[in-house]
């Protein structure tokens, strides 16, 4: 075993591994810094030169955060609740819509399929800013401003997710679907028993990109929502860190920075292996 | 009970002006092993897929067991299909692969177990039941695919080139096993292949197809002995049948096949066909299988009127016999000779062409003169 490892350890390999390890540590620094900052007492936060590691960890920053109420009335927990609810519902909806649409677009023959694919491709090309105003007009026309729908609906139209799922499902041989149909499967059975298990890596990828997009989105809260109780944590954080002056802001933003980061981390750790599979060979042989 | 009837079936793919399957008209009896053979792209798979319900029928009717099938969805046709690349579900174990069809048909659990285990024993895959398909070799995957079809106990088995991904030895072995299976089960099988050896060895009846048309339907030996046209004659049999171009001439009431270098007396048994064809002299192609081109001394003595002189180009010893590639003028003729033939390359020899086994084809249409107008 050891001999085998030694055999593979040529000089160039060693150099490569050392080099990559250095980069990895460097990339890890902000995360380490983020975690430590959240638990630093006020005096350590203002220390110069700043330290990376916390010396006297404390929960004071989080206490401050929970006590703080934006605009005098809305507690922080409301923003957190909004964010988690919106992200959760959107995630489920996007996964459902994109996998089903991907399956139909990939494995079914129907009229206007090429047109629909072309529309999806075109919508991929729009910069978000260009659709902001039309979207606002639609939202207010539908009287959906200041509701959760304003947060959720725009994200469900996810051309990237549909496109990704379609490309991935394309790689499942048609014969597999046909064989299942001859075995007596309905479309729903094919979808749940064959397509979804085989595209798990792509589903994981869709989960991660969707969650990040929704969880970090501030535009919606800024543009379509005037009611403070319907806004999200991402909005709260940006608004807070840019508006509130003073010493208290620094300690709260240290805590909130970690809170913004943790859900992403959890999701990524959950799906990371699957996601790497997507990137590596993105295929079912 | 699983008879199949194609009633003048056509298939036009979207955007194609020519039909991929043209007037396919055939009845398959219950329990038959029907092989569809033809070069790649001739419409075999399309026909099979129409029978399976995976493609729409453009024109014509398909019946299974007397029931009209055109608009019945694949899952309700009671058929099982084996695909070329096996199409096993990679996320399920071998057992689950075989059981899925039964589960979906709401077969009781103990019955599923019974049937899967029985099929597994039959195909000798019991040891792999808990493995995933990607842990199996090509031959094993192939057996699982067969097993999956087998447990369903369908009315009709469809197989689309199931052996073409296997190596030569395994192919021969599996070929025999499928034949054996058919004898045991006595279920109707429709088998598609581009390999004429498979067709000849397995089928109780063979359909030869070309460019979407049926060229001939016949049992294997009939197909070999009396091909209806040039295409079938050339497609069935290795090495290929020899073809020589020439004309039919009459001298003193006797019929001869003639070209610049040859003058062969046509065998009496063929003369009625020529007369029935009812035109006097015409361009024809003479077809003769290699085993009926002889170079041995006794043949030369026995059939002086069927001789031709040829130059030996190449010799291919196959072990059990030797193939001589000879040229008569511009044409190459293959002769099957004894394994230890003394003949050398470059030698000029006399060959006997057994005209009693020869076929004559109309040069223009390629149809055999033995095929009467009523067919
Ligand atoms: N989905 C399709 N769309 C258009 N043309 C097709 C399609 N499938 C097959 N064809 C055409 O139909 C003809 C017959 O194909 P196929 O039945 O697959 O031949 P075979 O199985 O005998 O090799 C071919 O010329 C092929 O190009
Ligand atoms: Mg084919």
């Amino acid at each position: 075993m050891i001999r085998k490892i030694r055999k593979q350890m040529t000089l160039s390999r060693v150099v490569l591994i050392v080099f990559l390890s250095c980069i990895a540590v460097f990339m890890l620094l902000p995360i380490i810094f983020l975690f430590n900052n959240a638990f630093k007492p006020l005096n350590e936060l203002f220390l110069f030169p700043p330290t990376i590691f916390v010396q006297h960890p404390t929960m004071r920053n989080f206490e401050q955060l929970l006590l703080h109420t934006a605009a005098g009335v809305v507690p922080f927990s409301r923003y957190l609740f909004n964010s988690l609810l919106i992200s959760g519902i959107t995630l489920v909806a996007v996964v459902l819509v994109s996998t089903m649409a991907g399956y139909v677009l990939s494995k079914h023959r129907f009229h206007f399929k090429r047109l629909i694919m072309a529309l999806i491709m075109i919508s991929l090309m729009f910069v978000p800013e260009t659709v902001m105003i039309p979207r606002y007009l639609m939202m207010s026309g539908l009287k959906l401003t200041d509701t959760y729908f304003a947060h959720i609906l725009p994200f469900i139209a996810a051309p990237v997710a549909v496109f990704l799922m379609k490309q991935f499902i394309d790689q499942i041989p048609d014969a597999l679907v046909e064989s299942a149909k001859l075995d007596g499967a309905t479309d729903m059975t094919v979808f749940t028993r064959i397509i979804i298990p085989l595209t798990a890596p792509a589903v994981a990828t869709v989960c991660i990109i969707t969650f990040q997009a929704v969880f970090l989105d501030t535009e919606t809260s800024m543009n379509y929502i005037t009611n403070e109780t319907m806004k999200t944590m991402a909005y709260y954080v940006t608004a807070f860190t840019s508006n509130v002056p003073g010493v208290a802001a620094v300690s709260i933003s240290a805590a909130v920075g970690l809170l913004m980061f943790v859900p992403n981390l959890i999701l990524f750790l959950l799906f990371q292996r699957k996601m790497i599979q997507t990137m590596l060979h993105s295929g079912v042989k | 009970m699983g008879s199949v009837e194609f009633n003048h079936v056509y298939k036009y793919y979207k955007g194609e002006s020519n039909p991929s399957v043209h007037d396919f008209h055939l009845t398959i009896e219950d329990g038959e092993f029907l092989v569809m053979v033809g070069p790649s792209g001739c419409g075999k798979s399309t026909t099979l897929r129409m029978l399976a319900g995976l493609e729409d029928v453009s024109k014509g009717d398909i019946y299974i067991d007397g029931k009209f099938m055109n608009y019945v969805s694949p899952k309700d046709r009671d058929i099982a299909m084996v695909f070329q690349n096996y199409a096993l579900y990679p996320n399920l174990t071998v057992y689950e692969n075989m059981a899925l069809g039964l589960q979906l048909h709401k077969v009781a659990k103990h019955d599923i177990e019974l049937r899967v285990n029985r099929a597994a024993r039959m195909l000798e895959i019991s040891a792999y039941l808990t493995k995933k398909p990607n842990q199996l070799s090509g031959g094993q995957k192939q057996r699982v695919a067969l097993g999956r079809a087998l447990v369903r106990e369908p009315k009709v088995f469809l197989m689309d080139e199931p052996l073409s991904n296997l190596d030569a030895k395994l192919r021969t072995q599996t070929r025999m096993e499928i034949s054996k299976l058919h004898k045991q089960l006595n279920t109707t099988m429709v088998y598609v292949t581009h390999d004429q050896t498979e067709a000849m060895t397995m089928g109780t009846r063979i359909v030869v197809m070309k460019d979407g048309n049926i060229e001939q339907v016949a049992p294997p030996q009939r197909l070999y002995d009396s091909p209806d046209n040039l295409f079938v004659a050339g497609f069935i049999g290795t090495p290929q049948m020899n073809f020589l171009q020439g004309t039919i001439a009459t001298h003193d009431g006797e019929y001869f096949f003639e070209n610049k270098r040859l003058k062969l007396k046509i065998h009496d048994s063929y003369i009625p066909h020529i007369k029935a064809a009812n035109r006097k002299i015409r361009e024809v192609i003479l077809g003769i299988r290699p085993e009926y081109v002889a170079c041995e001394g006794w043949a030369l003595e026995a059939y002086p009127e069927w001789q031709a002189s040829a130059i030996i180009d190449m010799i291919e010893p196959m072990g059990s016999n030797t193939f001589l590639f000879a040229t008569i003028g511009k044409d190459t003729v293959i002769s099957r000779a004894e394994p230890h033939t003394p003949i050398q390359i470059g030698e000029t020899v006399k060959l006997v062409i057994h005209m009693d086994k020869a076929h004559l084809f109309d040069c223009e249409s390629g149809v055999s003169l033995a095929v009467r107008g009523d067919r």
Side-chain angles (χ1 to χ4, degrees), chain A residues 109-111 173 175-186 189 193-194 197-198 284-285, chain B residues 49 52 54-55 74-75 79 81 83 85 87-91 97 100-101 103-105 148 152:
Chain A
R109 288 181 228 166
F110 53 90
H111 294 294
L176 223 58
V177 177
E178 288 169 352
S179 167
K181 291 211 167 147
L182 287 171
D183 263 350
T186 56
T189 322
R193 298 285 294 264
I194 311 291
L198 290 179
V284 187
K285 265 179 274 169
Chain B
R49 290 167 59 81
L54 299 171
E55 298 285 351
K75 70 182 171 64
I79 49 182
M81 185 158 167
F83 291 81
N85 38 21
L88 300 177
Y89 315 122
N91 52 318
N97 260 285
L100 184 68
Q103 284 168 10
L104 294 173
H105 280 95
R148 190 172 61 178
R152 291 268 316 282

Short mmCIF file of all heavy atoms in Angstrom, two decimals, chain A residues 109-111 173 175-186 189 193-194 197-198 284-285, chain B residues 49 52 54-55 74-75 79 81 83 85 87-91 97 100-101 103-105 148 152:
data_model
loop_
_atom_site.label_atom_id
_atom_site.label_comp_id
_atom_site.label_asym_id
_atom_site.label_seq_id
_atom_site.Cartn_x
_atom_site.Cartn_y
_atom_site.Cartn_z
N ARG A 109 -42.07 13.99 -28.11
CA ARG A 109 -42.21 14.69 -29.39
C ARG A 109 -43.52 15.43 -29.36
O ARG A 109 -44.56 14.85 -29.07
CB ARG A 109 -42.23 13.68 -30.53
CG ARG A 109 -40.88 13.05 -30.79
CD ARG A 109 -41.01 12.10 -31.95
NE ARG A 109 -40.40 10.84 -31.61
CZ ARG A 109 -40.59 9.72 -32.31
NH1 ARG A 109 -41.38 9.72 -33.35
NH2 ARG A 109 -39.98 8.62 -31.95
N PHE A 110 -43.50 16.72 -29.63
CA PHE A 110 -44.76 17.48 -29.70
C PHE A 110 -44.54 18.70 -30.58
O PHE A 110 -43.41 19.05 -30.91
CB PHE A 110 -45.23 17.87 -28.30
CG PHE A 110 -44.21 18.59 -27.47
CD1 PHE A 110 -44.12 19.97 -27.50
CD2 PHE A 110 -43.32 17.87 -26.68
CE1 PHE A 110 -43.18 20.61 -26.73
CE2 PHE A 110 -42.37 18.52 -25.91
CZ PHE A 110 -42.30 19.90 -25.94
N HIS A 111 -45.65 19.33 -30.92
CA HIS A 111 -45.58 20.50 -31.80
C HIS A 111 -44.90 21.66 -31.08
O HIS A 111 -44.97 21.78 -29.88
CB HIS A 111 -46.98 20.91 -32.23
CG HIS A 111 -47.63 19.87 -33.10
ND1 HIS A 111 -47.14 19.56 -34.35
CD2 HIS A 111 -48.67 19.05 -32.89
CE1 HIS A 111 -47.88 18.60 -34.87
NE2 HIS A 111 -48.82 18.27 -33.99
N PRO A 173 -30.20 7.42 -22.55
CA PRO A 173 -30.62 6.88 -23.85
C PRO A 173 -32.14 6.76 -23.96
O PRO A 173 -32.80 6.39 -22.98
CB PRO A 173 -29.99 5.48 -23.87
CG PRO A 173 -28.97 5.47 -22.79
CD PRO A 173 -29.35 6.51 -21.80
N ALA A 175 -33.72 4.60 -25.43
CA ALA A 175 -34.11 3.20 -25.30
C ALA A 175 -34.52 2.88 -23.86
O ALA A 175 -35.38 2.04 -23.63
CB ALA A 175 -32.96 2.29 -25.73
N LEU A 176 -33.90 3.57 -22.90
CA LEU A 176 -34.21 3.33 -21.49
C LEU A 176 -35.67 3.70 -21.21
O LEU A 176 -36.39 2.98 -20.54
CB LEU A 176 -33.27 4.18 -20.64
CG LEU A 176 -32.66 3.52 -19.43
CD1 LEU A 176 -31.89 2.30 -19.85
CD2 LEU A 176 -31.75 4.50 -18.71
N VAL A 177 -36.06 4.85 -21.72
CA VAL A 177 -37.43 5.32 -21.52
C VAL A 177 -38.40 4.40 -22.27
O VAL A 177 -39.45 4.00 -21.74
CB VAL A 177 -37.57 6.78 -22.01
CG1 VAL A 177 -39.01 7.24 -21.88
CG2 VAL A 177 -36.65 7.69 -21.22
N GLU A 178 -38.02 4.05 -23.50
CA GLU A 178 -38.90 3.20 -24.32
C GLU A 178 -39.06 1.84 -23.66
O GLU A 178 -40.15 1.27 -23.61
CB GLU A 178 -38.29 3.04 -25.71
CG GLU A 178 -38.42 4.31 -26.53
CD GLU A 178 -37.61 4.28 -27.80
OE1 GLU A 178 -36.83 3.32 -27.99
OE2 GLU A 178 -37.74 5.21 -28.60
N SER A 179 -37.96 1.33 -23.16
CA SER A 179 -37.99 0.04 -22.50
C SER A 179 -38.91 0.07 -21.29
O SER A 179 -39.68 -0.86 -21.06
CB SER A 179 -36.55 -0.31 -22.11
OG SER A 179 -36.52 -1.37 -21.25
N ALA A 180 -38.84 1.16 -20.53
CA ALA A 180 -39.72 1.29 -19.36
C ALA A 180 -41.18 1.35 -19.80
O ALA A 180 -42.05 0.76 -19.17
CB ALA A 180 -39.35 2.53 -18.57
N LYS A 181 -41.42 2.05 -20.91
CA LYS A 181 -42.81 2.15 -21.38
C LYS A 181 -43.34 0.78 -21.80
O LYS A 181 -44.49 0.46 -21.54
CB LYS A 181 -42.90 3.13 -22.54
CG LYS A 181 -42.65 4.55 -22.06
CD LYS A 181 -43.41 5.57 -22.87
CE LYS A 181 -43.38 6.89 -22.16
NZ LYS A 181 -43.36 8.02 -23.08
N LEU A 182 -42.47 0.00 -22.45
CA LEU A 182 -42.90 -1.35 -22.83
C LEU A 182 -43.10 -2.21 -21.60
O LEU A 182 -43.89 -3.15 -21.61
CB LEU A 182 -41.86 -1.99 -23.75
CG LEU A 182 -41.81 -1.45 -25.17
CD1 LEU A 182 -40.62 -1.99 -25.92
CD2 LEU A 182 -43.09 -1.79 -25.91
N ASP A 183 -42.34 -1.91 -20.55
CA ASP A 183 -42.51 -2.64 -19.29
C ASP A 183 -43.81 -2.27 -18.60
O ASP A 183 -44.15 -2.86 -17.58
CB ASP A 183 -41.34 -2.33 -18.35
CG ASP A 183 -40.27 -3.41 -18.42
OD1 ASP A 183 -40.53 -4.45 -19.03
OD2 ASP A 183 -39.18 -3.20 -17.85
N GLY A 184 -44.50 -1.27 -19.11
CA GLY A 184 -45.79 -0.91 -18.54
C GLY A 184 -45.77 0.37 -17.73
O GLY A 184 -46.70 0.64 -16.98
N ALA A 185 -44.70 1.16 -17.88
CA ALA A 185 -44.59 2.36 -17.07
C ALA A 185 -45.36 3.52 -17.70
O ALA A 185 -45.36 3.68 -18.91
CB ALA A 185 -43.13 2.75 -16.90
N THR A 186 -45.99 4.33 -16.86
CA THR A 186 -46.59 5.58 -17.34
C THR A 186 -45.48 6.63 -17.32
O THR A 186 -44.39 6.39 -16.81
CB THR A 186 -47.71 6.04 -16.41
OG1 THR A 186 -47.15 6.15 -15.09
CG2 THR A 186 -48.85 5.05 -16.38
N THR A 189 -44.25 7.26 -13.87
CA THR A 189 -43.37 6.21 -13.36
C THR A 189 -41.98 6.35 -13.96
O THR A 189 -40.97 6.24 -13.25
CB THR A 189 -43.92 4.82 -13.70
OG1 THR A 189 -45.32 4.85 -13.59
CG2 THR A 189 -43.33 3.77 -12.81
N ARG A 193 -39.09 6.85 -11.38
CA ARG A 193 -38.27 5.67 -11.15
C ARG A 193 -36.97 5.68 -11.95
O ARG A 193 -35.99 5.07 -11.55
CB ARG A 193 -39.05 4.39 -11.53
CG ARG A 193 -40.29 4.15 -10.71
CD ARG A 193 -40.00 3.67 -9.31
NE ARG A 193 -39.39 2.37 -9.24
CZ ARG A 193 -40.06 1.23 -9.05
NH1 ARG A 193 -41.36 1.26 -8.92
NH2 ARG A 193 -39.41 0.09 -8.97
N ILE A 194 -36.98 6.33 -13.10
CA ILE A 194 -35.81 6.27 -13.97
C ILE A 194 -35.12 7.63 -14.08
O ILE A 194 -33.92 7.77 -13.79
CB ILE A 194 -36.19 5.80 -15.40
CG1 ILE A 194 -37.06 4.54 -15.34
CG2 ILE A 194 -34.96 5.60 -16.26
CD1 ILE A 194 -36.37 3.31 -14.87
N PRO A 197 -33.79 9.43 -10.46
CA PRO A 197 -32.59 8.81 -9.88
C PRO A 197 -31.34 8.99 -10.74
O PRO A 197 -30.25 9.16 -10.22
CB PRO A 197 -32.96 7.32 -9.80
CG PRO A 197 -34.42 7.28 -9.84
CD PRO A 197 -34.88 8.45 -10.61
N LEU A 198 -31.51 9.00 -12.05
CA LEU A 198 -30.35 9.10 -12.93
C LEU A 198 -29.86 10.53 -13.08
O LEU A 198 -28.76 10.75 -13.56
CB LEU A 198 -30.67 8.52 -14.31
CG LEU A 198 -30.85 7.00 -14.36
CD1 LEU A 198 -31.17 6.54 -15.76
CD2 LEU A 198 -29.61 6.30 -13.85
N VAL A 284 -24.72 9.84 -18.06
CA VAL A 284 -25.13 8.52 -17.61
C VAL A 284 -24.72 7.56 -18.71
O VAL A 284 -25.21 7.67 -19.81
CB VAL A 284 -26.65 8.45 -17.43
CG1 VAL A 284 -27.04 7.13 -16.80
CG2 VAL A 284 -27.11 9.61 -16.60
N LYS A 285 -23.79 6.69 -18.40
CA LYS A 285 -23.33 5.83 -19.49
C LYS A 285 -24.17 4.58 -19.60
O LYS A 285 -24.76 4.15 -18.66
CB LYS A 285 -21.87 5.48 -19.31
CG LYS A 285 -20.99 6.47 -20.11
CD LYS A 285 -19.54 6.16 -19.92
CE LYS A 285 -18.99 6.83 -18.68
NZ LYS A 285 -17.72 6.43 -18.25
N ARG B 49 -40.35 -1.11 -34.36
CA ARG B 49 -40.80 -0.08 -33.42
C ARG B 49 -42.27 0.27 -33.64
O ARG B 49 -42.97 0.64 -32.70
CB ARG B 49 -39.91 1.15 -33.53
CG ARG B 49 -38.49 0.89 -32.98
CD ARG B 49 -37.55 1.99 -33.38
NE ARG B 49 -38.00 3.27 -32.89
CZ ARG B 49 -37.82 3.71 -31.66
NH1 ARG B 49 -37.17 2.97 -30.80
NH2 ARG B 49 -38.28 4.87 -31.29
N ALA B 52 -44.07 -2.31 -31.86
CA ALA B 52 -44.00 -2.10 -30.41
C ALA B 52 -44.83 -0.92 -29.97
O ALA B 52 -45.12 -0.77 -28.78
CB ALA B 52 -42.55 -1.90 -29.99
N LEU B 54 -43.77 2.20 -30.52
CA LEU B 54 -42.86 3.31 -30.23
C LEU B 54 -42.85 4.33 -31.36
O LEU B 54 -42.39 5.46 -31.18
CB LEU B 54 -41.45 2.78 -29.98
CG LEU B 54 -41.32 1.82 -28.80
CD1 LEU B 54 -39.94 1.18 -28.76
CD2 LEU B 54 -41.59 2.55 -27.50
N GLU B 55 -43.31 3.93 -32.54
CA GLU B 55 -43.48 4.87 -33.65
C GLU B 55 -44.92 4.77 -34.14
O GLU B 55 -45.51 3.68 -34.12
CB GLU B 55 -42.55 4.50 -34.82
CG GLU B 55 -41.07 4.56 -34.51
CD GLU B 55 -40.53 5.98 -34.44
OE1 GLU B 55 -41.27 6.92 -34.80
OE2 GLU B 55 -39.39 6.14 -34.01
N PRO B 74 -47.79 1.46 -26.06
CA PRO B 74 -46.86 0.34 -25.93
C PRO B 74 -47.13 -0.53 -24.71
O PRO B 74 -47.05 -1.76 -24.78
CB PRO B 74 -45.50 1.03 -25.80
CG PRO B 74 -45.67 2.36 -26.39
CD PRO B 74 -47.10 2.73 -26.28
N LYS B 75 -47.48 0.11 -23.59
CA LYS B 75 -47.58 -0.66 -22.36
C LYS B 75 -48.78 -1.60 -22.35
O LYS B 75 -48.83 -2.52 -21.56
CB LYS B 75 -47.60 0.27 -21.15
CG LYS B 75 -48.86 1.10 -20.98
CD LYS B 75 -48.70 1.99 -19.75
CE LYS B 75 -49.81 3.00 -19.63
NZ LYS B 75 -51.13 2.44 -19.42
N ILE B 79 -46.23 -6.90 -25.11
CA ILE B 79 -45.04 -7.34 -25.83
C ILE B 79 -43.83 -6.98 -24.98
O ILE B 79 -43.92 -6.14 -24.09
CB ILE B 79 -44.91 -6.60 -27.18
CG1 ILE B 79 -45.09 -5.11 -26.95
CG2 ILE B 79 -45.88 -7.13 -28.19
CD1 ILE B 79 -45.03 -4.30 -28.18
N MET B 81 -39.50 -6.21 -25.35
CA MET B 81 -38.51 -5.91 -26.38
C MET B 81 -37.11 -5.94 -25.77
O MET B 81 -36.89 -5.48 -24.66
CB MET B 81 -38.80 -4.54 -26.98
CG MET B 81 -37.91 -4.16 -28.13
SD MET B 81 -38.73 -2.90 -29.13
CE MET B 81 -37.39 -2.35 -30.15
N PHE B 83 -33.38 -4.52 -26.48
CA PHE B 83 -32.74 -3.49 -27.29
C PHE B 83 -31.27 -3.83 -27.55
O PHE B 83 -30.66 -4.61 -26.82
CB PHE B 83 -32.80 -2.14 -26.58
CG PHE B 83 -34.19 -1.57 -26.50
CD1 PHE B 83 -35.08 -2.00 -25.53
CD2 PHE B 83 -34.61 -0.63 -27.41
CE1 PHE B 83 -36.35 -1.48 -25.45
CE2 PHE B 83 -35.88 -0.10 -27.34
CZ PHE B 83 -36.75 -0.52 -26.36
N ASN B 85 -28.53 -1.99 -27.21
CA ASN B 85 -27.60 -1.69 -26.12
C ASN B 85 -28.23 -1.99 -24.76
O ASN B 85 -27.95 -1.34 -23.78
CB ASN B 85 -27.09 -0.27 -26.20
CG ASN B 85 -28.17 0.68 -26.64
OD1 ASN B 85 -29.36 0.35 -26.53
ND2 ASN B 85 -27.80 1.82 -27.14
N ALA B 87 -30.38 -1.40 -22.74
CA ALA B 87 -31.31 -0.49 -22.06
C ALA B 87 -31.69 -0.98 -20.67
O ALA B 87 -32.85 -0.96 -20.28
CB ALA B 87 -32.57 -0.28 -22.91
N LEU B 88 -30.71 -1.44 -19.91
CA LEU B 88 -30.99 -1.80 -18.51
C LEU B 88 -31.01 -0.52 -17.69
O LEU B 88 -30.29 0.43 -18.00
CB LEU B 88 -29.89 -2.72 -17.98
CG LEU B 88 -29.73 -4.04 -18.73
CD1 LEU B 88 -28.56 -4.83 -18.15
CD2 LEU B 88 -31.00 -4.85 -18.65
N TYR B 89 -31.84 -0.50 -16.63
CA TYR B 89 -31.90 0.69 -15.80
C TYR B 89 -30.67 0.72 -14.90
O TYR B 89 -30.54 -0.13 -14.02
CB TYR B 89 -33.17 0.71 -14.96
CG TYR B 89 -34.41 0.34 -15.76
CD1 TYR B 89 -35.21 -0.74 -15.40
CD2 TYR B 89 -34.75 1.05 -16.91
CE1 TYR B 89 -36.33 -1.08 -16.14
CE2 TYR B 89 -35.86 0.70 -17.65
CZ TYR B 89 -36.64 -0.36 -17.27
OH TYR B 89 -37.73 -0.72 -18.01
N PRO B 90 -29.77 1.70 -15.08
CA PRO B 90 -28.50 1.66 -14.35
C PRO B 90 -28.66 1.86 -12.86
O PRO B 90 -27.79 1.48 -12.08
CB PRO B 90 -27.70 2.81 -14.96
CG PRO B 90 -28.58 3.53 -15.87
CD PRO B 90 -29.88 2.83 -15.99
N ASN B 91 -29.78 2.45 -12.44
CA ASN B 91 -29.96 2.73 -11.01
C ASN B 91 -30.59 1.57 -10.25
O ASN B 91 -30.71 1.62 -9.06
CB ASN B 91 -30.81 3.99 -10.83
CG ASN B 91 -32.10 3.92 -11.62
OD1 ASN B 91 -32.12 3.47 -12.76
ND2 ASN B 91 -33.19 4.31 -10.99
N ASN B 97 -34.33 -4.73 -12.07
CA ASN B 97 -34.50 -4.56 -13.51
C ASN B 97 -35.52 -5.55 -14.07
O ASN B 97 -36.39 -5.19 -14.86
CB ASN B 97 -33.17 -4.77 -14.23
CG ASN B 97 -32.51 -3.47 -14.58
OD1 ASN B 97 -32.92 -2.79 -15.50
ND2 ASN B 97 -31.48 -3.11 -13.82
N LEU B 100 -39.24 -4.97 -12.44
CA LEU B 100 -39.98 -3.72 -12.62
C LEU B 100 -41.24 -3.89 -13.47
O LEU B 100 -42.32 -3.44 -13.11
CB LEU B 100 -39.08 -2.65 -13.24
CG LEU B 100 -39.75 -1.27 -13.39
CD1 LEU B 100 -40.01 -0.66 -12.02
CD2 LEU B 100 -38.91 -0.32 -14.22
N GLY B 101 -41.06 -4.57 -14.60
CA GLY B 101 -42.20 -4.77 -15.50
C GLY B 101 -43.35 -5.48 -14.81
O GLY B 101 -44.52 -5.16 -15.03
N GLN B 103 -43.87 -5.59 -11.48
CA GLN B 103 -44.44 -4.70 -10.46
C GLN B 103 -45.45 -3.75 -11.08
O GLN B 103 -46.53 -3.53 -10.55
CB GLN B 103 -43.32 -3.87 -9.81
CG GLN B 103 -42.48 -4.64 -8.82
CD GLN B 103 -41.24 -3.87 -8.44
OE1 GLN B 103 -41.10 -2.70 -8.77
NE2 GLN B 103 -40.32 -4.53 -7.77
N LEU B 104 -45.06 -3.20 -12.24
CA LEU B 104 -45.94 -2.23 -12.89
C LEU B 104 -47.21 -2.89 -13.40
O LEU B 104 -48.22 -2.24 -13.58
CB LEU B 104 -45.21 -1.53 -14.03
CG LEU B 104 -44.04 -0.65 -13.59
CD1 LEU B 104 -43.27 -0.14 -14.78
CD2 LEU B 104 -44.54 0.51 -12.74
N HIS B 105 -47.15 -4.20 -13.64
CA HIS B 105 -48.36 -4.91 -14.04
C HIS B 105 -49.08 -5.51 -12.85
O HIS B 105 -49.95 -6.36 -13.00
CB HIS B 105 -48.02 -5.99 -15.07
CG HIS B 105 -47.84 -5.44 -16.44
ND1 HIS B 105 -46.62 -5.11 -16.96
CD2 HIS B 105 -48.75 -5.13 -17.40
CE1 HIS B 105 -46.78 -4.64 -18.18
NE2 HIS B 105 -48.05 -4.63 -18.48
N ARG B 148 -35.25 -9.91 -18.55
CA ARG B 148 -36.28 -8.91 -18.28
C ARG B 148 -37.47 -9.10 -19.21
O ARG B 148 -38.62 -8.93 -18.82
CB ARG B 148 -35.68 -7.52 -18.46
CG ARG B 148 -36.57 -6.44 -17.98
CD ARG B 148 -35.88 -5.12 -18.00
NE ARG B 148 -35.48 -4.74 -19.35
CZ ARG B 148 -34.88 -3.59 -19.64
NH1 ARG B 148 -34.59 -2.74 -18.68
NH2 ARG B 148 -34.56 -3.30 -20.87
N ARG B 152 -41.69 -11.33 -18.27
CA ARG B 152 -42.98 -10.71 -18.58
C ARG B 152 -43.97 -11.70 -19.18
O ARG B 152 -45.17 -11.46 -19.17
CB ARG B 152 -42.76 -9.55 -19.56
CG ARG B 152 -42.04 -8.36 -18.96
CD ARG B 152 -43.04 -7.37 -18.41
NE ARG B 152 -44.11 -7.22 -19.38
CZ ARG B 152 -44.03 -6.49 -20.48
NH1 ARG B 152 -42.94 -5.81 -20.72
NH2 ARG B 152 -45.04 -6.41 -21.31
#
